[in-house]
Structures are given as C-alpha cells and as structure tokens.
Amino acid sequence: MALLSACVLAMLWYFTITRIQNEKELAIASSIADSRNVAAIVSANLDGVLGKTLLYSRIGQSLLNGEQKAPYLNPLFNGDSAFLRVAVFNADGQLVYSSARQKEEPELSRLINAGYMTSLTSERDQATMIINPPNNRDGYSWRVPLLIPLQNGRGELQGFFTAILDLGYFLKTYQEVSVAGASRIEILNAAGLQLAELSGGILSGGSNYAGQDYAMFLLTGKGDGLIHALRPGDDVQHVGVQRRLAHYPLAVVVSRDPQQLLGKLWPAHRQYYLQAICISLAIMLLTGGLINLAHRRRFLYEKLLYSEREKSGLINQLEQEKSRAYQLASHDYLTGIPNRMLFYELASTELSRAKRSRNLYALFFLDLDKFKLINDTQGHAVGDALLQEVARRLRAALREYDLVARLGGDEFVVMVSEIRDEESVAEIADKLVEAVRAPYPDLLGAYVETAPSIGIALYPRDGQSVDELMTNADSAMYTAKTSGTGLYRFYDASLNAIAVRGLELLGRFRQALKENEFCLYYQPKVELHNFNITGMEALIRWQHPEHGLIFPGEFIGLAEAHDLVVPLGHWIIEAVCRQLAQWRDKGLPLLPVAINVSAKQLRDERLGDVVRDTLRRHRLTPDLLEIEVTESCFIEDVETARATLEKLRDEGLKIYLDDYGTGYSGLSHIKTLPVYALKIDRSFISDIRNDNSDGMIVASTVTLARNLGLKVVAEGVETKEQLMHLKVMGCDQVQGFYLQRPVAADQLESILQKGRFEIA
C-alpha cells in the first residue's frame, strides 16, 4: 500500500511539474510568434514609409529641373504625418525648397557637408538613402534625418533631398500593442544606434548598441531571427525577435520581459501546486487510514478465523441445500431440463440481448400427439420414459446455448437465437419434427411412435416479451395440431407458405432423383491472358413439374438437413460424366468440368469409389473432373476432409477452394490441403473499382496464391471494367455473366467448338 501511494505521489508531482513547464514553454513560444507578427507588420509599414521618401525625392528632383511641383512636396498636406518636414538643396548645398517655408534649414543642412559631397562625387555605387542621425539629438531621439543624393541621367550630382522622419509618430500607431502585450518595440540602424523605442506606451531612444552582442545580428546578414543576447542595461534577456527591413539599413526588434510574461501564469501555477499539495495530503491520509484499517482487519480476521472454521461446515451444508432447492425449483424433476420458471428467466435475458441484434429469435411450442393415449395404454412409466427421451432428442438436435424447457405434461418449449431468416427457422422446425417423430423402439420394453405439433412465434414480429411469444406460439401450435400430425405452423400465417413449400419439395426429392428431374447448367471458365475457355463449372437446377425451374438455394438446404445431399452428389457425378461422354461422341473438344462437393460428401467413404467407377464406366480421364469445396467443409472434421481430398487428388482430380475470403480457414489450412486453385468470392469482385479494401483483398489473394504455387480464379465478373482490373492484378482465370451466363449443355456446344471468347 505504501509503495503504491509513493508511486501515485510521484506520478502526481511529475505530471504537475511537467504541465507547468509545458505551459511556460507554450507561453514563450506564443510570445515569440506574437512578436514575430508584430515585427513583420512594423517592418513592412516602416518599409512603406521609407518608400514614400524615395517618391518625394523624385518630386524634389523634378523641382530642381524647373518643374513646378512644390505643393506635392508637403507630406503633411498629403497626409503623411510621419514626416515632420522635407527640404531640397542644390548641388552646392543651397536651400531650394522647404516644406516649412523657412529660408534656412540648419538641422537638415548639417546632413550635407564636405565629407558627404566628396564621397558622393567620387563614388557612384554608394547607398541611395543615408540614415545617420547626429549623436546628440537634444531629447528628440526619435526624430531621424534622411538624406537622398539626387543625380541626373549622366550620373552627375544634381542636389540633395532631405527629410526628418518622426519615428515617434510612426510608433504611436502600435502604442496599444505595446501596452496590452507588454511588448518593447525598437528601431535600430545598421550601425547599432537605437533610433526609437516604444515600451509600455512610452517613447524613447538614443541608445547605442554598436559593437554589442545585442546588435551583432545586424552584421550577420540574416534577415530575422530570435534574440540571443542580453540588451545592455537589462537584468534578464528578453524573449523576442529581430527583423531587418528588406530595402533599407534598418532593423525592428520586438521583445517581452520573460519575468512579466511568466508572471501572468503564476496564479494558475500556484493553483496547480495547491491542488497537488492537497491531493498529496489526501493520499497520505488515506494511505495511513487504509494501513491502520488493514491492521485492524487483520486483528479481527485472526479473532474470527477460529469461529469461521467452525461455521464453514454449516455453510457448506446450507449451500448444498440451497443448490438442491434451486435445482428442484428451476428444473423439471423428470427430464432434468429447465422448467417454466427458469425458462422465463433465461428467455427474458435472451430477449434483452435480441434488441441489439439484427437476426431473428424464434420460440417453438411443442406438444406430443397421442401422448394421453400412450400414457393410458402403455402406462405412466412408459410415458415418463418417453418424455425423458424427447427431452434428450431435443437437446441433441439444438446448439448448446439454445434453450429447451418442459412446461408440464407433454408440452415443451424451445428458444433459438440469432437465426438468419425465416427459411432457417423452417429448417430448424423440420429438424425438431424429424428428431421427435423417429420411433422409440425400446421404452421399458415398449415400442412407441409419436410426433410433435409445433407452433412458432418470431421475435420481434410476433411479440416483444416472453409472455407474448408464448401465447402466440401456443396459438400457432393448436393450428398445427388441427391441420394434422407431425406439422408445424408459424403464428404469422404468411410464413406458413415457406414450411408448406419446404415439405412439398422434401416429399418429392427422392422421386425427383429417380425421375431425373434435376438438370445441370454449365458456366465456362476463361484464361485471362488469351481468353481461351479452360474449363466449366456444373451448376444444379431442379426442373419441377409444377413449380418450374428451381434454383439450388431452395433445395440444397433441405438436402443437407435430411441427408439427401450424398445421393444428390452421386447423381451430379454421373450426369457430368455422361454429358462429357456425349460431347466426346459428337467430336467436341473436352474441357474439365468442376462440381461442388459439400462437407457431408467429404465424409462419405464411397465418394472416391463413385468418382473412379463413374469415370471408368464412361471411359473418361480423371483430369476432366474437378472438385470445388468451400471453407466450411473444414469446420467439423478437417482431418477427414483432408484425407478424402488427398485421395481424389491422387486419382488425378484438381481441387478448387471455392468462395475464398468469406469463410474462417487460415493460411495453415491452405498450405496443408491439396488445393490446386483459389476461387475468389463474387462479393469481392462486384465493387472492385470503387472499394479499395476489395481491391486490396484480391491483390493480396493473388500474391498469396503465387507464393504458394496456386492458381487464382475470380467468379462473378459482370462488367468489362472488372475484367480489366482482374487482368492487371494478375488473376489467372475468370467466370461470370459478362462472358457467359450458366446455360444448358446443348446451348454450350457452339462455344466449346469455338474454344475462346472475343473481348472487344
């Protein structure tokens, strides 16, 4: 406990100090950014003011040339209050014009001396503007004289333009920025002389930083940057930036006192420290209290340990009695499955989860036909044994987490969760009917037959609560009982058509096999590099005498649920081989035909013998028959499935893994199974142009197949754009409606004769 408290305190103070330090760094960075913006604005405006000086100098030169433009030389008249006055002198230094209308301008004429004139007449490449205020400026340190030599087109000195720039007036524009932001704005010339300073709304100037580290940036040639030196006279180095004008030998320095800047953060930081101190004290007090409480509890525990040992035997006995009482209260005494009370409790929990599900929840209400007659004629002991066996069969027919309960007498109730659609509900009902209707050959020496009547209510369609579903399922059960024996009915009458059609198809299935009502349609598989037909897939259809052509989605599930898929698979193998022999007899080129094989067929020990015998009987080579299996074939028994596929592979058949990407199997299964090619499911092809994730899945599948030495087939190609995308990605083969829809065998003969597709 003490170690944990120390860790918490260390973390608390670490985060507090880190937060304060981060806020200081952020404040300084923000101040630098603000100073950089102010320096950019001041330098740009100052650059503009000096640019106007050059404009006035050109007007002054025209005045020397005899043009009458004197009114335009008055900055105050033109609204340029940053200029106190201007004057024009001829080459001899005589005053030609004064904006103050004075006969003499001694302050400006001092700028023109023999040294300047000598320099100007002897050097052509000197600066255009000279900014060189006198050392003693008599308290008006921000008044800066400017001198611009005027030359004619031949390079001869024609005269001088002079002006006095009022930097004080110029800086007053930024007085609010200086006061509100606690900023100091300085203007320096190239020699390091401070021309003007605005600090806290107060103007000053005149400091000389020549040769000082503070002004060394003027000599480095850098346009702007951070201040890295202490200004003479300051106690601490200010935080700020310096920026040189783009066209004139001046620089602007904007800075702030870090103590004043960080001082504004102190109230908040003090609050952080106070909070950390208070929390630290609370943690230490709590830790001390917990340690004290732990010692007291240990003392009490040692005191009570002896008495607890004495009571443990009694508690265990009470728990056993409680468990036994709950078992008796919540479970049916005869069958051991939940009774009405427990079913209501568990079903209510299931329905609370169902509100967040998009799937169906179904409640089945079962009643045994002729149970009273069996009880009366065979005796109650046989009746009880029948109820026990029915409960066992129901439990075996359902998933482990589905609910089965006995309500009393011969009434049972089942709740099945997460069902995809109504057809699946009907399949479950068929399964329950078959499980209960199977004979009971030895119930205490008696042979018993019975069948259930089942009523079905669906959540949320037929009810939102357990009571509503029970009532409606009970009503549907009585409808089923009045319709006959061994039937089920939905509470929603519109759904009973599903059950009736399923029962009708199931009743005719075996007859359909004998009378060859099933037929095969064929869809070509095409090589992408040359568009040659490389094989076909055989697709089963049911040509029903009353309902017409029925697609496999309606009857394959019935065949799977009622163990009819194996004889159907044998029929398909025979039909494919017979068709290949007919094409051979007609002189058509023979191409491999792929058939779909289910998980139950892979568990059929006779599958390999049936394939081998059928091929031999029709005088066909094994390479003309291919097997397509889905990933679901490996869920229950991967070893048996692998062994069967290896036998088929050894016979010479190629194995395709169908609907790749939609199942569960991993890379380990693909590596160990005798697979020749992967078939990419159509769901990844339909939107391959627009969905990047589909494109990535297809590309990664092609790469995986290449690394494993497998072929890749894409099914469901419906457009030319999909075809081109797959070709670019390196897919080997394709099939789909764009090339050819599934057709009967006689409609495929012309395509087989041609042998390839022409793609425009």
Side-chain angles (χ1 to χ4, degrees):
M1 182 63 70
L3 180 60
L4 177 61
S5 299
C7 292
V8 172
L9 288 173
M11 292 178 62
L12 170 66
W13 281 99
Y14 170 78
F15 285 119
T16 300
I17 294 172
T18 301
R19 179 180 183 183
I20 292 173
Q21 187 63 31
N22 289 342
E23 290 186 1
K24 288 181 179 180
E25 292 175 359
L26 182 61
I28 291 175
S30 177
S31 173
I32 291 174
D34 293 342
S35 299
R36 197 183 301 276
N37 293 336
V38 172
I41 296 171
V42 172
S43 61
N45 291 342
L46 185 57
D47 195 70
V49 170
L50 295 176
K52 290 183 179 179
T53 306
L54 295 177
L55 177 63
Y56 284 128
S57 71
R58 288 194 288 272
I59 298 174
Q61 189 170 12
S62 66
L63 187 64
L64 292 176
N65 293 334
E67 300 179 18
Q68 295 298 320
K69 293 186 178 181
Y72 299 106
L73 268 175
N74 191 338
L76 296 177
F77 178 78
N78 293 326
D80 291 334
S81 301
F83 295 92
L84 292 176
R85 62 181 183 275
V86 300
V88 180
F89 297 86
N90 61 19
D92 298 327
Q94 296 178 349
L95 180 66
V96 176
Y97 171 81
S98 170
S99 64
R101 302 184 183 278
Q102 298 183 19
K103 294 181 178 181
E104 294 183 358
E105 286 286 354
E107 184 177 0
L108 295 176
S109 64
R110 282 198 297 269
L111 293 173
I112 308 168
N113 52 46
Y116 283 140
M117 294 177 65
T118 301
S119 174
L120 288 169
T121 55
S122 62
E123 299 179 8
R124 295 288 184 91
D125 55 351
Q126 58 185 304
T128 302
M129 182 183 297
I130 299 172
I131 306 173
N132 192 13
N135 292 331
N136 182 12
R137 289 180 276 172
D138 301 329
Y140 298 98
S141 56
W142 49 84
R143 294 173 52 178
V144 178
L146 308 176
L147 170 65
I148 301 176
L150 305 176
Q151 298 176 349
N152 58 22
R154 296 185 299 276
E156 298 172 347
L157 182 65
Q158 191 175 3
F160 301 92
F161 175 83
T162 60
I164 296 179
L165 179 62
D166 186 0
L167 291 181
Y169 179 84
F170 174 78
L171 289 179
K172 282 183 179 179
T173 308
Y174 308 98
Q175 188 169 10
E176 184 177 350
V177 175
S178 173
V179 175
S183 300
R184 181 171 65 193
I185 305 174
E186 299 176 272
I187 300 176
L188 310 179
N189 66 4
L193 182 63
Q194 184 193 63
L195 302 182
E197 175 186 335
L198 179 64
S199 178
I202 300 175
L203 282 168
S204 62
S207 300
N208 190 349
Y209 304 133
Q212 302 288 335
D213 291 341
Y214 185 71
M216 286 304 291
F217 76 94
L218 296 167
L219 304 176
T220 61
K222 295 183 179 178
D224 57 71
L226 300 178
I227 296 174
H228 297 292
L230 178 69
R231 194 182 84 159
D234 286 348
D235 297 330
V236 295
Q237 179 180 329
H238 282 209
V239 177
V241 298
Q242 63 264 355
R243 185 182 182 92
R244 298 182 63 175
L245 269 64
H247 305 98
Y248 303 100
L250 296 179
V252 176
V253 179
V254 180
S255 61
R256 298 180 68 181
D257 187 345
Q259 294 179 347
Q260 186 177 5
L261 176 67
L262 299 179
K264 295 181 179 180
L265 300 177
W266 171 241
H269 292 173
R270 180 175 56 192
Q271 187 67 25
Y272 297 161
Y273 282 122
L274 289 176
Q275 290 176 354
I277 291 172
C278 292
I279 295 174
S280 299
L281 291 175
I283 291 174
M284 288 188 289
L285 290 175
L286 180 61
T287 302
L290 291 176
I291 292 174
N292 183 48
L293 180 61
H295 284 298
R296 292 186 61 188
R297 291 189 62 181
R298 182 176 180 82
F299 175 76
L300 293 175
Y301 173 77
E302 291 175 351
K303 287 286 187 180
L304 295 175
L305 182 60
Y306 178 75
S307 60
E308 289 296 327
R309 288 174 179 173
E310 290 183 342
K311 294 178 181 178
S312 61
L314 180 58
I315 291 174
N316 290 335
Q317 183 179 352
L318 291 175
E319 288 293 336
Q320 292 173 3
E321 293 296 331
K322 180 181 177 181
S323 177
R324 190 179 301 111
Y326 180 77
Q327 179 74 17
L328 292 174
S330 60
H331 287 72
D332 179 53
Y333 73 96
L334 181 63
T335 60
I337 61 176
N339 61 12
R340 181 187 296 268
M341 181 191 75
L342 182 57
F343 176 79
Y344 266 77
E345 180 182 335
L346 297 177
S348 298
T349 303
E350 285 292 317
L351 291 185
S352 66
R353 288 195 292 266
K355 296 177 181 178
R356 299 186 295 272
S357 174
R358 297 182 179 180
N359 293 324
L360 296 174
Y361 280 60
L363 190 145
F364 300 80
F365 198 107
L366 290 82
D367 181 87
L368 299 181
D369 296 337
K370 302 178 182 179
F371 178 74
K372 186 176 185 303
L373 179 62
I374 294 171
N375 236 355
D376 293 341
T377 58
Q378 303 289 343
H380 291 286
V382 173
D384 291 345
L386 174 62
L387 293 176
Q388 292 172 344
E389 182 61 19
V390 168
R392 189 194 64 79
R393 292 187 181 186
L394 291 176
R395 183 69 274 169
L398 297 169
R399 298 169 298 185
E400 183 178 354
Y401 51 85
D402 291 330
L403 299 180
V404 180
R406 180 187 173 212
L407 302 182
D410 61 336
E411 293 181 342
F412 293 84
V413 64
V414 173
M415 173 169 280
V416 181
S417 58
E418 301 292 344
I419 310 174
R420 293 189 307 275
D421 47 39
E422 290 84 354
E423 289 83 355
S424 300
V425 176
E427 292 175 6
I428 295 172
D430 282 328
K431 191 174 183 180
L432 295 178
V433 169
E434 291 299 319
V436 177
R437 184 163 51 185
Y440 302 82
D442 186 13
L443 288 180
L444 301 180
Y447 180 89
V448 176
E449 287 187 356
T450 186
S453 295
I454 304 178
I456 307 171
L458 301 180
Y459 175 91
R461 175 183 302 185
D462 301 328
Q464 303 287 326
S465 66
V466 178
D467 284 325
E468 289 180 292
L469 293 174
M470 288 280 285
T471 300
N472 294 334
D474 188 18
S475 175
M477 184 272 292
Y478 279 105
T479 302
K481 186 178 283 291
T482 56
S483 301
T485 181
L487 300 177
Y488 61 88
R489 289 292 182 266
F490 288 90
Y491 177 72
D492 186 343
S494 64
L495 298 179
N496 288 322
I498 299 173
V500 172
R501 184 176 175 88
L503 289 174
E504 181 183 356
L505 295 178
L506 181 62
R508 189 177 177 84
F509 204 98
R510 297 186 185 277
Q511 181 182 355
L513 281 174
K514 294 178 181 179
E515 298 181 4
N516 286 323
E517 292 180 5
F518 294 100
C519 60
L520 293 178
Y521 276 45
Y522 299 88
Q523 185 176 42
K525 290 188 288 189
V526 179
E527 287 284 354
L528 263 179
H529 72 279
N530 56 13
F531 301 109
N532 287 340
I533 301 175
T534 187
M536 294 165 286
E537 180 180 359
L539 302 169
I540 187 72
R541 303 286 188 268
W542 186 349
Q543 189 64 49
H544 198 280
E546 297 178 5
H547 302 300
L549 193 65
I550 301 176
F551 286 84
E554 285 195 63
F555 60 83
I556 290 297
L558 288 173
E560 289 278 1
H562 297 279
D563 295 328
L564 295 171
V565 72
V566 171
L568 179 63
H570 294 171
W571 183 93
I572 293 173
I573 294 171
E574 173 65 30
V576 168
C577 293
R578 183 171 59 249
Q579 185 60 59
L580 284 169
Q582 291 176 4
W583 281 333
R584 180 192 59 205
D585 296 341
K586 290 182 179 181
L588 294 174
L590 295 185
L591 296 174
V593 177
I595 62 173
N596 291 279
V597 174
S598 69
K600 286 189 176 181
Q601 288 176 273
L602 292 179
R603 294 195 295 270
D604 179 18
E605 297 179 355
R606 298 179 55 244
L607 179 61
D609 296 334
V610 171
V611 170
R612 183 170 50 256
D613 294 343
T614 307
L615 288 171
R616 184 171 56 251
R617 184 162 19 91
H618 290 281
R619 294 180 289 110
L620 297 173
T621 57
D623 60 306
L624 292 176
L625 194 61
E626 297 175 340
I627 301 296
E628 293 189 6
V629 294
T630 62
E631 296 175 299
S632 60
C633 293
F634 315 115
I635 294 177
E636 295 182 3
D637 191 351
V638 66
E639 294 301 328
T640 301
R642 180 189 295 114
T644 303
L645 292 176
E646 287 177 348
K647 290 180 181 178
L648 294 174
R649 189 267 317 273
D650 295 340
E651 290 287 341
L653 280 70
K654 294 177 180 177
I655 311 299
Y656 287 72
L657 186 59
D658 199 9
D659 299 339
Y660 180 74
T662 61
Y664 84 105
S665 69
L667 181 60
S668 60
H669 286 155
I670 299 175
K671 289 172 61 179
T672 57
L673 292 172
V675 176
Y676 170 76
L678 302 179
K679 294 191 71 174
I680 303 176
D681 186 69
R682 66 181 65 248
S683 61
F684 300 112
I685 307 301
S686 60
D687 201 24
I688 193 173
R689 289 185 58 203
N690 305 315
D691 194 328
N692 291 333
S693 60
D694 285 350
M696 292 177 64
I697 291 173
V698 174
S700 62
T701 301
V702 172
T703 302
L704 172 65
R706 290 284 179 273
N707 293 334
L708 296 176
L710 305 178
K711 296 286 186 180
V712 179
V713 183
E715 54 185 352
V717 178
E718 298 181 355
T719 65
K720 185 176 181 180
E721 289 78 7
Q722 294 171 354
L723 188 74
M724 293 299 103
H725 269 74
L726 292 167
K727 187 172 184 179
V728 170
M729 289 179 177
C731 194
D732 297 306
Q733 301 173 9
V734 295
Q735 68 182 92
F737 286 2
Y738 177 71
L739 298 168
Q740 177 64 57
R741 291 176 175 270
V743 294
D746 56 349
Q747 300 179 37
L748 198 64
E749 293 180 358
S750 60
I751 299 174
L752 291 176
Q753 192 70 47
K754 190 175 182 181
R756 69 187 307 273
F757 288 95
E758 299 293 338
I759 305 298

